[in-house]
Structures are given as structure tokens and as C-alpha cells.
Amino acid sequence: MKYLKDEEFIKKFGQKLKQVREGQGISQEQFSLLTDISQSQIARTELGQVNTSISHASTYAKFLKINPMELFDFSDLKEKK
């Protein structure tokens, strides 16, 4: 089976994570301390540079106190060119 990597989806997930985190007034450093995920990993995820794990997505949602599905709702994101 061929491994597929959806770059656009990964970037949108990162944008959404950043939007929600910043909307709650949480810095990357604070978020790193809350989640026990390195700040560099969070930054790379938000920039769409890494294909984050489902476990990390769940952890992000837990500490943002949102339903994990909200991180996959890209309908309110602005298009980036």
C-alpha cells in the first residue's frame, strides 16, 4: 500500500490548532507545558511541517477543552496562498 500524505490537510490542521490555541490566549510555551509535547513539535505541527499523530491531536483537544472533531473543522479558516 502506498503511503499518502495530504499536505493541504496537514497545513489546515496546523492552522486550526494555532487558531484555537491563540483564541484561548495560550502561548506555545504554555501549551507545551500543559500537554508535555515539545514546543518545537507544536510549532512544526502549527506550520504544517509534520503529520501529527492522532494521540497528539487528542491531547491538544483535551487541554484546549474542546471536542477533538473541532480541530478537523476547517470551515472557518481563511484560504492561504
Side-chain angles (χ1 to χ4, degrees):
M1 178 177 197
K2 184 178 176 185
Y3 175 72
L4 301 175
K5 186 174 178 182
D6 187 336
E7 299 284 343
E8 182 179 347
F9 186 89
I10 292 167
K11 286 189 183 303
K12 285 183 177 181
F13 179 87
Q15 286 178 296
K16 184 65 176 205
L17 177 62
K18 182 177 181 177
Q19 178 189 68
V20 174
R21 177 186 58 73
E22 287 182 340
Q24 293 188 18
I26 301 170
S27 71
Q28 280 186 353
E29 184 178 10
Q30 291 168 320
F31 201 42
S32 174
L33 293 171
L34 286 170
T35 61
D36 201 29
I37 296 171
S38 73
Q39 185 176 352
S40 63
Q41 178 70 15
I42 292 168
R44 289 191 308 268
T45 299
E46 290 182 354
L47 291 170
Q49 295 175 342
V50 295
N51 188 3
T52 197
S53 72
I54 199 72
S55 293
H56 280 184
S58 175
T59 299
Y60 295 145
K62 176 182 175 184
F63 285 96
L64 291 168
K65 296 179 174 73
I66 61 171
N67 183 309
M69 293 307 297
E70 290 182 49
L71 292 174
F72 297 95
D73 177 5
F74 309 140
S75 62
D76 61 342
L77 294 178
K78 294 181 182 177
E79 282 295 317
K80 283 201 172 184
K81 295 180 181 182

